[in-house]
Amino acid sequence: MKIAIASDHGGLNLREEIKQLMDEMNIQYEDFGCECETSVDYPDYALPVAEKVASGEFDRGILICGTGIGMSISANKVKGIRCALVHDTFSAKATREHNNSNMLAMGERVIGPGLAREIARVWLTTEFEGGRHENRVSKITAFENKVQG
Ligand code: RB5
């Protein structure tokens, strides 16, 4: 599994924590910034990374900003992206099992590094359940195809 990860300046520290976690888990990843010497605009990082996941260049993506909200809103504009904004481990597991989320967003200003690491660990290791959930996710894909071609 290959992960694309990015953050804005508000998520810089947590991005480093999650990269460290992926090193420990032997998960391959590529870091798409930001360098964050000044404040940056989260769509400039969320959108290209979401496109890399949607195209299949990366299997999944992780985005971090201050709240996780701007990153998740932006990523979900890209066709084929199901980005889940998650701040608890129950949702981390459920969104993989039920929604087959292919991107995870978190907010560094919302949760501490310990919880964020656990959320990422659960999200990275949980499989989609398929079955009745496949049908529901397919309805989202069908809508995207109808609206965006
Ligand atoms: C940056 O100040 C902040 O707005 C951003 O990190 C994020 O929280 C946006 O949703």
Side-chain angles (χ1 to χ4, degrees), residues 8-11 39-40 42 64-73 107 109:
D8 72 357
H9 55 285
S39 90
V40 299
Y42 54 81
I64 303 161
C65 63
T67 60
I69 297 172
M71 285 293 200
S72 58
I73 291 173
R109 297 174 188 159

Side-chain angles (χ1 to χ4, degrees), residues 2 5 30 148:
K2 224 170 123 194
I5 187 168
E30 196 168 329
Q148 297 179 46

Side-chain angles (χ1 to χ4, degrees), residues 35-119:
E35 296 304 327
C36 305
E37 276 136 15
T38 56
S39 90
V40 299
D41 299 333
Y42 54 81
D44 294 339
Y45 295 87
L47 294 169
V49 168
E51 284 185 314
K52 287 175 199 301
V53 174
S55 72
E57 190 182 339
F58 287 82
D59 299 298
R60 293 197 230 157
I62 298 179
L63 295 170
I64 303 161
C65 63
T67 60
I69 297 172
M71 285 293 200
S72 58
I73 291 173
S74 304
N76 279 317
K77 298 294 178 194
V78 175
K79 186 180 169 187
I81 293 302
R82 294 176 300 281
C83 181
L85 172 59
V86 175
H87 289 130
D88 67 276
T89 52
F90 175 84
S91 301
K93 185 165 181 282
T95 191
R96 283 292 308 134
E97 288 176 344
H98 293 195
N99 315 124
N100 198 13
S101 55
N102 49 13
M103 296 194 78
L104 170 69
M106 293 186 287
E108 181 181 321
R109 297 174 188 159
V110 182
I111 50 172
L115 177 56
R117 281 173 61 103
E118 192 54 19
I119 287 166

